[in-house]
Amino acid sequence: MISLKFESKLKATPEQVWQSITSIEGLTFEMLPFMRLTVPKGYKTLADIYPRKPDANFRSWVLLFGILPIDHTDLQLKSLTPLKGFVEESNMASMKYWRHERKIVPVSEGETSVIDELTFEPLRLKSLSALVIRKFFEHRHKKLKQKFSFN
């Protein structure tokens, strides 16, 4: 198993961060231009997914550069706690195991941290997979910092 952790302090309230990290638009903003996940038409936030079907919500295609299918995941949210975070444990074609926990933690007035904790086991190319996922989440946190800048 591989474990990675990412943390960023943002100039935003927990409510602002929650709205961004649970909206499909906000999640897509974080991932582009490198990847995009497909979602069923009409889904706007993670609340549209959970708790409607907690076991195997839907199949989402992972699109490289937003167009080329490179993987798929049967998205499963295990928990979604408003203003606190979520846990996703999804079956992915490229992984034996995938768990993503995202937390938001108030730091001070107008400052909030986002913490991503990942635990995963790739089916193959473990070192390369770990590098790609590390770079991808570094990119996501860079985009969050751009959106909620201290400048």
Side-chain angles (χ1 to χ4, degrees):
M1 289 283 189
I2 298 168
S3 295
L4 300 173
K5 184 176 179 178
F6 306 87
E7 183 170 357
S8 293
K9 188 176 0 175
L10 308 174
K11 187 174 183 178
T13 65
E15 291 81 8
Q16 290 169 314
V17 173
W18 180 255
Q19 182 179 359
S20 180
I21 70 165
T22 59
S23 73
I24 302 305
E25 182 180 316
L27 292 169
T28 300
F29 171 81
E30 287 178 39
M31 295 178 183
L32 286 175
F34 300 111
M35 287 186 215
R36 183 174 66 84
L37 298 176
T38 63
V39 295
K41 189 174 183 169
Y43 283 46
K44 303 285 184 210
T45 73
L46 295 182
D48 294 331
I49 299 166
Y50 182 86
R52 190 186 318 190
K53 296 179 189 173
D55 57 326
N57 293 307
F58 61 85
R59 176 156 290 176
S60 177
W61 289 94
V62 179
L63 305 175
L64 183 63
F65 304 117
I67 51 173
L68 181 66
I70 58 168
D71 200 356
H72 66 77
T73 177
D74 293 324
L75 189 68
Q76 296 181 18
L77 285 176
K78 296 296 182 182
S79 68
L80 181 69
T81 307
L83 302 177
K84 300 286 184 196
F86 61 82
V87 176
E88 172 218 350
E89 290 183 6
S90 298
N91 296 320
M92 296 181 74
S94 63
M95 300 284 169
K96 288 182 188 175
Y97 180 79
W98 174 264
R99 184 178 195 277
H100 174 203
E101 182 172 0
R102 180 168 261 197
K103 301 179 221 175
I104 61 172
V105 179
V107 176
S108 62
E109 178 122 6
E111 292 182 0
T112 304
S113 283
V114 172
I115 303 164
D116 284 305
E117 296 179 1
L118 305 168
T119 306
F120 59 96
E121 186 174 0
L123 288 171
R124 56 188 106 38
L125 303 171
K126 292 181 183 191
S127 295
L128 180 60
S129 295
L131 176 65
V132 168
I133 290 168
R134 176 183 302 281
K135 292 297 182 187
F136 180 59
F137 272 83
E138 286 172 355
H139 166 77
R140 290 182 71 173
H141 277 255
K142 181 179 176 184
K143 295 279 291 228
L144 281 169
K145 289 175 185 175
Q146 287 173 353
K147 186 173 190 173
F148 299 109
S149 174
F150 276 95
N151 297 330

